[in-house]
Amino acid sequence: MAENIVILTGAGISAESGLGTFRDKDGAWAKFDWRKLASPEGYGEDPIAVHDFYNARRRGLLKAEPHGAHQALAQWEAAHEGEFLLVTQNIDDLHLRAGSKNLIPMHGELFKARCSACHHVYDWREDLSIESTCPRCQIRSGPRPHVVWFGEMPLEMERIYRALESCTLFVAIGTSGTVYPAAGFVQDAKAAGAHTVELCLEPGEISVLFDEAIYGPASEVVPHFVETYLKSRA
Ligand code: BJW
């Protein structure tokens, strides 16, 4: 019978595309205070600093390209006969550009803005500022990055938990396993009887929870893992 696969990705899968991680020694949270830049309270206190942070990352994303790991996941989905859900904590669009279809960006999308007043979500690739105006309700200062900050509810959780309940293979890629609810998915998958695999540069906080682990750069370990999986099923 075909497997039901859930993949969870984190910042590590996009590191080799030139996008920084959060908790590595040169990561964003080593340089900046997440309370100021990734919380609704921080945005309320200093929206200019928050816009600057996301504007710089949005400009960086315009220059980034998906690599072999993003592509391998899209090829795996296309070749797979059972359910295949890719949940990413990343706000970049590299999985989408690599061709992944059944994709949930649970922490939002950098190339979208959301109006704090009327909740309209729309495509946006330019800088945002406190002068930005919502294209629907015309409120000035309404638009904010369409991202999930600490204390906010991640997106499409019902769909994610439904997939985890019937999952037979769960693979976490390039995530430190420090941020919930994503860090708890391995236990949800195990409770459903799934085989669980970690693919990451190095072991992290929740590595002991996985049945199997392969450590190394995503651009190497992910294509190799996918190729081995597909050959074993051919
Ligand atoms: C490589 C590599 C290479 C490097 N190849 N690998 C106490 C206990 C439990 C929970 C809480 C608590 N207090 C508060 C909470 C809740 C809180 C939380 O989890 N806090 C913890 C820090 C304790 N969570 C929330 O508030 C979330 N909301 C929530 O819980 O709502 C209530 C709820 C309840 C029940 C069900 C559902 C909901 C919201 C979390 C929002 C996270 N937001 C951020 C920023 C916004 C997006 C953005 O700006 O990009 O999201 S924080 C940041 O962390 C970002 C990431 O998506 C997220 C995860 O980070 P990730 O991806 O794991 O990156 P790193 O840097 O940590 O790890 C990178 C890994 O890659 C490392 O392992 C490297 O080794 C590896 N790597 N190069 C392969 N080349």
Side-chain angles (χ1 to χ4, degrees), residues 104-117:
I104 298 181
M106 65 178 289
H107 289 164
E109 293 172 76
L110 190 53
F111 282 156
K112 288 189 176 166
R114 179 168 85 239
C115 178
S116 309

Side-chain angles (χ1 to χ4, degrees), residues 47-174:
I48 295 176
V50 176
H51 282 311
D52 285 349
F53 177 61
Y54 284 97
N55 288 342
R57 290 176 61 197
R58 199 179 294 104
R59 285 183 224 133
L61 181 54
L62 284 167
K63 294 184 218 139
E65 295 290 340
H67 62 72
H70 301 98
Q71 282 145 5
L73 293 178
Q75 284 155 8
W76 190 4
E77 178 180 12
H80 186 67
E81 284 173 5
E83 300 292 325
F84 190 105
L85 177 64
L86 174 51
V87 180
T88 186
Q89 298 169 87
N90 300 342
I91 60 173
D92 66 55
D93 66 342
L94 300 184
H95 286 305
L96 204 62
R97 279 196 257 160
S100 286
K101 303 279 183 242
N102 200 22
L103 171 68
I104 298 181
M106 65 178 289
H107 289 164
E109 293 172 76
L110 190 53
F111 282 156
K112 288 189 176 166
R114 179 168 85 239
C115 178
S116 309
C118 73
H119 311 296
H120 177 48
V121 176
Y122 55 98
D123 292 337
W124 192 258
R125 287 174 170 256
E126 288 156 41
D127 284 1
L128 282 173
S129 79
I130 54 170
E131 310 292 331
S132 299
T133 301
C134 171
R136 178 170 290 175
C137 73
Q138 308 301 328
I139 292 265
R140 192 172 149 273
S141 250
R144 56 162 275 186
H146 180 49
V147 301
V148 177
W149 289 322
F150 284 106
E152 296 184 321
M153 183 63 86
L155 309 176
E156 300 203 54
M157 289 308 301
E158 267 184 37
R159 220 177 116 206
I160 296 172
Y161 283 131
R162 244 192 342 264
L164 287 167
E165 274 166 21
S166 60
C167 165
T168 57
L169 175 63
F170 174 79
V171 185
I173 303 170

Side-chain angles (χ1 to χ4, degrees), residues 9-16 19-22 88-90 92 173-176:
T9 63
I13 197 169
S14 296
E16 290 157 89
L19 304 178
T21 62
F22 295 94
T88 186
Q89 298 169 87
N90 300 342
D92 66 55
I173 303 170
T175 175
S176 61

